[in-house]
Amino acid sequence: MRRVVLVTGASSGVGLALCMRLLKEDDGLHLCLACRNLSKAEAVRADLLASHPAAEVTTVQVDVSSLPSVFRASRELKERFQRLDYVYLNAGIMPNPQLNIKALFCSLFSRKVIHVFSTAEGLLTQNDKVTADGLQEVFETNIFGHFILIRELESLLCHRDSPSQLIWTSSRNARKSNFSLEDIQHSKGQEPYSSSKYAIDLLSVALNRNFNQRGLYSSVVCPGTMLTNLTYGIVPPFVWTLIMPIIWLFRFFANAFTLTPYNGTEALVWLFHQKPESLNPLVKYLSATTGFGSNYVTSKKMDLDEDTAEKCYQNLLELEKHVRVTIKETDNQS
C-alpha cells in the first residue's frame, strides 16, 4: 500500500524541492500537492510524473489564508484518502519585508554579525493586513489555516497502529520576544513572521502532548537561509548577487546558509526516514550546509516551555470555535 504524503506550498521553493527529493527517496509514494494556484500545481505534477512515472501524484487546491478554502480541501481529502502518513505544513508568507538598514550596519560591526545574518534577528519587519476571515494574514497563512486543516483531517491522521507525522516549516527567526499569548495574531507588532513561526514551535509541542497517544506526532524544521521568492522580496536580486561572496564566506563559520531550496530540504527529508516515536518533541531540526557545500542535519532545543505551548494550543482552539460560529452565521444569512 502506498504511503500518502501531503505537502502544502508544493509548487515552488522548499515545497517543490521537497517533492522532488521525496520521490527520489521513494517513487512508490502517493504525493498530494496542496497548492493555492491549481494550474501551477498541475504543471509541477506533470513534471514530477515525467521523471518518476511509477509514482502517484495528485493535486488539491487549498489557500491556507482562506478558511472556506481549507474546509473545502479537507472535505475533498477525506473523500479521497483513508489515511495520511506525512503532512508537510510548508506554505507560508513574509509579506512586504522591510530591511532595517540601521540594524544591518550596526550588526556588521558587532560580535553577533554571523548570528544576525543567519537568523535575521532584528533586521526585518513586515506590513501585515487582515484577511477576508477577519484574521491577520501572516498568522492565518503560516499557522492558523494549517491548524484548521489538521483539525479537519484528524480522522486521517490518528491511527495508533501506524503513526502519522506532521512536519512544520519553522525558522531560526522564531523569537520568543516577538510572541505574546495576549496578541497571538501579532496585530500590534511589526514582526508577524517571527511571531507566527514561534507559535508554530509552541503548537508542535502541544500537539505532541495531546496527540501522541492517538498515533500523531509533530516536528518542526528550519530549512536555513535560502534564496527563494520569499527572500528575494527583502532586497532586489542584484543586491543578493553583490553580497553572495560574503554569504559564501559566512558558510565557513555558520551552517545556516543553505542558500538553495534543495539544500534547505535536508532536515525535512531526514525526518521522512525517522521513527516519530524516537524524536525529541522539544527540539527543532535544522538543515545545515558546510562551507564546501555538504548538507547535514543538526538540532537545537527550542526556547519555550510546555505550559506556554499548551496555552497557545488552547487559545487556538478558542479562536477556532469563534471562527466556526462566525462562518455558520454567515452561511445562514446567505
Side-chain angles (χ1 to χ4, degrees):
M1 187 174 180
R2 292 177 184 263
R3 290 183 291 178
V4 181
V5 182
L6 178 72
V7 181
T8 69
S11 62
S12 64
V14 170
L16 175 57
L18 172 64
C19 292
M20 296 170 67
R21 290 194 64 177
L22 287 176
L23 290 181
K24 286 183 179 179
E25 299 289 321
D26 181 1
D27 65 0
L29 293 175
H30 185 145
L31 187 61
C32 184
L33 316 177
C35 303
R36 180 175 54 184
N37 188 318
L38 196 57
S39 62
K40 286 185 178 180
E42 289 294 344
V44 169
R45 174 180 178 271
D47 289 342
L48 292 173
L49 287 174
S51 56
H52 300 279
E56 188 168 353
V57 183
T58 56
T59 62
V60 63
Q61 185 173 27
V62 60
D63 179 356
V64 286
S65 69
S66 167
L67 296 182
S69 175
V70 172
F71 288 128
R72 283 194 301 270
S74 300
R75 289 193 295 270
E76 187 174 338
L77 290 167
K78 284 186 282 190
E79 290 173 359
R80 289 193 210 172
F81 302 112
Q82 293 183 330
R83 64 169 287 126
L84 296 172
D85 297 283
Y86 303 85
V87 179
Y88 284 91
L89 302 153
N90 167 72
I93 59 169
M94 184 196 292
N96 305 310
Q98 304 294 318
L99 183 63
N100 186 327
I101 300 297
K102 181 179 178 181
L104 174 63
F105 278 100
C106 288
S107 67
L108 288 174
F109 303 99
S110 74
R111 295 180 179 178
K112 297 175 63 177
V113 58
I114 294 177
H115 169 78
V116 170
F117 268 77
S118 60
T119 64
E121 181 180 343
L123 295 183
L124 297 175
T125 60
Q126 300 93 42
N127 295 321
D128 206 356
K129 64 181 181 181
V130 177
T131 68
D133 298 317
L135 302 170
Q136 295 298 128
E137 185 182 31
V138 175
F139 167 80
E140 183 169 10
T141 305
N142 292 1
I143 180 168
F144 192 66
H146 284 122
F147 175 70
I148 295 299
L149 184 67
I150 294 166
R151 294 279 291 158
E152 289 292 299
L153 298 178
E154 278 186 22
S155 61
L156 304 185
L157 293 167
C158 297
H159 300 274
R160 291 183 182 179
D161 56 328
S162 180
S164 295
Q165 287 183 259
L166 304 175
I167 301 170
W168 298 82
T169 300
S170 181
S171 173
R172 288 172 172 84
N173 187 245
R175 310 300 301 177
K176 185 176 184 178
S177 58
N178 289 325
F179 176 82
S180 170
L181 284 170
E182 288 70 39
D183 184 21
I184 195 169
Q185 297 190 49
H186 203 74
S187 60
K188 300 174 183 177
Q190 291 187 305
E191 297 192 46
Y193 180 81
S194 174
S195 174
S196 70
K197 294 301 183 179
Y198 189 79
I200 284 173
D201 296 350
L202 292 169
L203 176 57
S204 180
V205 170
L207 289 172
N208 281 310
R209 188 174 182 177
N210 287 276
F211 285 90
N212 281 178
Q213 291 185 338
R214 295 173 60 186
L216 178 61
Y217 292 80
S218 180
S219 299
V220 288
V221 166
C222 174
T225 302
M226 303 166 295
L227 301 185
T228 65
N229 291 335
L230 191 143
T231 51
Y232 277 132
I234 300 172
V235 293
F238 79 89
V239 177
W240 285 113
T241 303
L242 291 175
I243 65 174
M244 189 56 65
I246 299 174
I247 293 177
W248 277 94
L249 179 62
F250 279 168
R251 283 174 64 163
F252 287 94
F253 304 96
N255 57 21
F257 296 97
T258 50
L259 297 186
T260 69
Y262 179 94
N263 294 344
T265 61
E266 190 70 19
L268 291 94
V269 175
W270 180 82
L271 282 170
F272 176 74
H273 296 289
Q274 306 309 307
K275 291 184 178 180
E277 307 94 322
S278 67
L279 298 170
N280 185 341
L282 300 178
V283 157
K284 182 178 294 184
Y285 296 94
L286 313 173
S287 296
T289 305
T290 68
F292 294 103
S294 299
N295 297 322
Y296 64 102
V297 177
T298 184
S299 62
K300 182 179 181 181
K301 191 176 187 302
M302 292 184 283
D303 181 22
L304 51 74
D305 64 82
E306 294 188 59
D307 287 341
T308 303
E310 184 64 26
K311 289 176 183 176
C312 177
Y313 176 61
Q314 293 301 326
N315 284 0
L316 292 172
L317 289 175
E318 286 299 316
L319 182 58
E320 177 194 355
K321 290 179 184 178
H322 173 74
V323 298
R324 286 183 186 275
V325 169
T326 302
I327 291 173
K328 186 175 182 180
E329 290 176 349
T330 303
D331 290 343
N332 290 338
Q333 292 173 2
S334 61

